[in-house]
Amino acid sequence: MPLLTDRTEAGQRLAERLSDLRAADALVLALPRGGVPVAVEIARALECPLDLLLVRKVGLPGYPELAIAAVSGPEGQDLVVNEALLSAVGLSLHEIDALAEKERAELARRRRLWQLGAEVPVSGRTVILVDDGMATGTTMLAALQSLRALKPARIVVALPVAATSALAVVRPLVDRIECLVEPDPFVAVGAHYDQFPQVPDETVGELLADRRKRGHRPH
């Protein structure tokens, strides 16, 4: 049976876990697209700004949902590779970089579409990094690599659902993790939600516009 209703409910439950950060001058950063509806609920509850941290998964050829690498950074210049998977499938780093070019182009498209600046001003702040789930941790590692370069004071990762193995990889790299569910066995992120539709570009744009209209824009 699914352990979570939908992304909205997951965000509300995470907001309760993070209520101690209400007065911490925190900034919520969502990994689009699926992390945005979760992050919106956290930002609303904590009354803090919401923005995006653009990261793109590089899927294994033939298995696009399985992240063999991920790209992040303003130009998609940061590449994090799933080394264990890389050695298992026999692809070279050159081949991975070639696969990543399509995802770098998608990052640029999303930056233009959602009118994002070159980088998010996070220096010295507590950053709550949010996604709708974590399977391998590769995408999150890319996000953290990009985020650490911006020198936040603290990094808090908030996830509705994650594989225990992925949490073990990420936990030493951050100050705090809040995760609602660690299923055993872990199947796929969407399998643990009752409702897990795709989040379209338009929905992300509308949610961002609403936060900006309310004066919660950190740029």
Side-chain angles (χ1 to χ4, degrees):
M1 292 293 292
L3 301 170
L4 300 162
T5 302
D6 56 19
R7 293 179 178 93
T8 298
E9 181 244 9
Q12 291 167 351
R13 288 173 59 185
L14 281 168
E16 293 176 2
R17 295 259 193 111
L18 297 164
S19 60
D20 59 299
L21 297 178
R22 184 185 299 272
D25 188 32
L27 168 65
V28 176
L29 291 182
L31 301 188
R33 292 175 292 197
V36 178
V38 182
V40 162
E41 298 302 322
I42 296 172
R44 284 174 178 163
L46 301 186
E47 299 179 345
C48 62
L50 167 70
D51 216 310
L52 306 184
L53 185 60
L54 295 187
V55 181
R56 283 290 293 174
K57 174 171 58 182
V58 180
L60 180 66
Y63 302 90
E65 292 305 310
L66 185 58
I68 194 167
V71 292
S72 63
E75 306 299 329
Q77 72 273 14
D78 297 327
L79 176 69
V80 170
V81 177
N82 186 327
E83 298 287 352
L85 187 55
L86 181 68
S87 61
V89 300
L91 291 174
S92 68
L93 287 175
H94 178 74
E95 289 170 316
I96 296 298
D97 196 58
L99 291 171
E101 279 305 303
K102 182 179 71 172
E103 308 309 332
R104 292 185 176 108
E106 176 62 13
L107 284 183
R109 184 193 71 84
R110 292 183 175 191
R111 190 173 295 281
R112 292 191 301 269
L113 176 67
W114 295 324
Q115 301 177 30
L116 302 179
E119 64 180 32
V120 182
V122 302
S123 178
R125 302 182 74 169
T126 295
V127 174
I128 305 171
L129 188 58
V130 183
D131 204 355
D132 58 5
M134 184 170 67
T136 67
T138 303
T139 302
M140 184 61 71
L141 290 176
L144 290 171
Q145 179 172 304
S146 180
L147 180 57
R148 280 196 299 268
L150 303 176
K151 303 187 185 308
R154 296 177 66 209
I155 300 177
V156 179
V157 169
L159 297 159
V161 56
T164 300
S165 57
L167 288 170
V169 171
V170 170
R171 186 170 280 114
L173 305 177
V174 300
D175 298 285
R176 173 178 171 184
I177 290 183
E178 292 292 345
C179 181
L180 299 176
V181 178
E182 296 179 44
D184 183 19
F186 183 92
V187 182
V189 170
H192 304 292
Y193 284 83
D194 184 48
Q195 301 170 42
F196 195 70
Q198 291 290 321
V199 179
D201 286 342
E202 293 76 14
T203 298
V204 173
E206 290 166 3
L207 292 172
L208 286 177
D210 180 68
R211 296 300 294 171
R212 289 165 179 166
K213 183 172 62 178
R214 296 170 186 270
H216 292 289
R217 186 176 186 180
H219 294 307

